[in-house]
């Protein structure tokens, strides 16, 4: 699924990375716990989260995650967006809650990320 | 490729800079042409270690030594030390504050995650003095 389709399905605003919307996304991971992202995510996935701080971007950077959807209408501050831009990420913001966002994407065929262990 | 040595100071409780050392390490490894799977392991180890220093310690240092066989990461802080390192290695054991949890950390998964991504791992600590983590990731297996 392309980022453009994800943007449209979630009725999301593109905060950073308008030029990356043609990127293909193969799986997704959703949580507010960055420790879990670091411990579980194996793929180059899309991250859906309600956690808008610098550590979200840093965690994504470490895990080679290039696209993040902030849910519940959250918009990160400029410092966070600047860091995301430096890392060539795509940042979307949707008004949907996390559960709804995941449901919409899953329903359209975007599967959950492979995880490293149980 | 000869030996490359990197060193970074990590300040306590400076959440705005937390991750900068790991970011810099990751960029260096990319420039050196290291395999992306290895880079990912190193990134997880250094970032978890860096967050630990920021969250729990009085400040510390991360060094990375790269040779033809392995990448050796050392994270050493200036205390307060860990009373029971076996307990600290348990998944889910945490002494993190609510503030740290709100940042998405402090779930008691950092140290086990460092160990899992290391080919060789050691932790040592002395109360009021230091905690030291040593992790080696081999470039060839």
């Amino acid at each position: 699924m392309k980022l453009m389709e994800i943007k449209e399905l979630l009725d999301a605003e593109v905060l950073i990375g308008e030029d990356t919307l043609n990127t293909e996304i193969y799986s997704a991971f959703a949580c507010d716990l960055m420790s879990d992202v670091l411990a579980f995510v194996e793929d180059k996935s899309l991250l859906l989260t309600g956690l808008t701080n610098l550590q979200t971007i840093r965690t994504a950077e470490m895990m080679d995650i290039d696209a993040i959807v902030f849910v519940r209408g959250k918009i990160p501050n400029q410092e966070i967006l600047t860091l995301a831009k430096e890392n060539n990420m795509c940042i979307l913001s949707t008004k949907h809650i996390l559960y709804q966002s995941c449901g919409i994407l899953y329903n359209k065929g975007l599967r959950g990320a492979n995880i490293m262990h149980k | 490729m000869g030996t490359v040595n990197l060193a970074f100071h990590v300040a306590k409780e400076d959440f705005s800079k937390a991750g900068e050392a790991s970011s810099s390490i990751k960029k260096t490894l990319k420039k050196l042409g290291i395999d992306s799977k290895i880079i990912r392991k190193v990134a997880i180890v250094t970032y978890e270690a860096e967050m630990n220093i920021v969250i729990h310690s009085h400040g510390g240092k991360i060094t990375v030594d790269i040779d033809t066989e392995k990448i050796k990461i050392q994270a050493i802080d200036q205390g307060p030390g860990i009373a029971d390192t076996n307990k600290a290695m348990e998944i889910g054991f945490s002494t993190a504050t609510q503030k740290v949890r709100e940042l998405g950390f402090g779930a008691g998964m950092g140290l086990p995650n460092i160990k899992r991504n290391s080919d060789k791992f050691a932790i040592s600590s002395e109360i009021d003095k230091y905690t030291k983590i040593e992790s080696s990731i081999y470039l060839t297996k």
Side-chain angles (χ1 to χ4, degrees):
Chain A
M1 186 182 289
K2 285 200 192 310
L3 275 171
M4 175 63 83
E5 196 180 346
I6 290 169
K7 169 198 177 296
E8 279 163 13
L9 286 168
L10 297 179
D11 196 17
E13 186 185 342
V14 184
L15 303 178
I16 292 287
E18 191 82 49
D19 55 335
T20 65
L21 293 178
N22 261 325
T23 308
E24 192 73 36
I25 298 289
Y26 298 98
S27 65
F29 190 86
C31 73
D32 284 355
L33 189 61
M34 291 304 115
S35 299
D36 271 2
V37 178
L38 287 165
F40 288 100
V41 179
E42 197 171 37
D43 303 335
K44 276 188 84 161
S45 296
L46 173 76
L47 174 65
L48 296 106
T49 184
L51 196 72
T52 51
N53 61 45
L54 275 174
Q55 267 68 47
T56 307
I57 308 295
R58 284 293 184 208
T59 301
E61 181 193 353
M62 293 305 135
M63 303 305 281
D64 300 316
I65 290 170
D66 299 327
I68 303 172
V69 177
F70 288 110
V71 298
R72 306 191 280 275
K74 295 201 174 184
I75 310 256
N77 68 30
Q78 199 51 51
E79 187 189 8
I80 293 163
L81 291 176
T82 302
L83 184 63
K85 194 167 184 164
E86 279 170 22
N87 283 287
N88 302 315
M89 290 176 184
C90 178
I91 306 291
L92 304 176
S93 177
T94 177
K95 290 202 164 47
H96 292 298
I97 59 171
L98 184 58
Y99 181 78
Q100 189 98 357
S101 305
C102 295
I104 291 168
L105 298 180
Y106 190 88
N107 203 27
K108 289 288 181 181
L110 185 64
R111 292 298 181 243
N114 284 313
I115 58 171
M116 289 192 235
H117 60 105
K118 285 174 190 171
Chain B
M1 186 177 78
T3 313
V4 178
N5 310 96
L6 311 169
F8 299 88
H9 284 280
V10 181
K12 69 166 185 177
E13 289 179 2
D14 189 349
F15 290 99
S16 69
K17 289 207 168 63
E20 281 188 4
S22 304
S23 174
S24 179
I25 291 163
K26 186 170 182 180
K27 287 183 178 113
T28 302
L29 295 181
K30 268 190 192 167
K31 273 190 206 145
L32 290 172
I34 306 276
D35 181 80
S36 63
K37 280 188 184 138
I38 303 277
I39 292 181
R40 192 186 171 90
K41 286 183 181 187
V42 175
I44 293 171
V45 168
T46 57
Y47 187 52
E48 293 273 24
E50 188 176 357
M51 288 308 293
N52 275 348
I53 294 174
V54 173
I55 292 166
H56 298 287
S57 84
H58 303 317
K61 192 172 80 172
I62 293 178
T63 60
V64 180
D65 301 307
I66 306 148
D67 61 30
T68 50
E69 290 174 359
K70 65 182 179 308
I71 299 174
K72 188 177 178 190
I73 301 139
Q74 280 200 73
I76 183 155
D77 67 36
Q78 296 149 17
I82 298 171
D84 183 348
T85 50
N86 287 330
K87 190 88 189 155
M89 290 305 299
E90 286 177 13
I91 291 172
F93 177 79
S94 176
T95 57
T97 59
Q98 186 56 33
K99 186 190 160 201
V100 169
R101 287 171 199 265
E102 282 166 11
L103 290 171
F105 286 88
M109 293 169 70
L111 287 173
N113 202 20
I114 291 174
K115 189 179 179 184
R116 197 173 50 238
N117 283 285
S118 306
D119 293 312
K120 226 172 112 186
F121 172 85
I123 180 168
S124 55
S125 187
E126 207 172 319
I127 287 292
D128 292 334
K129 291 202 172 144
Y130 74 94
T131 295
K132 182 162 89 169
I133 288 166
E134 294 169 284
S135 160
S136 290
I137 295 164
Y138 297 119
L139 295 170
T140 48
K141 286 203 176 169

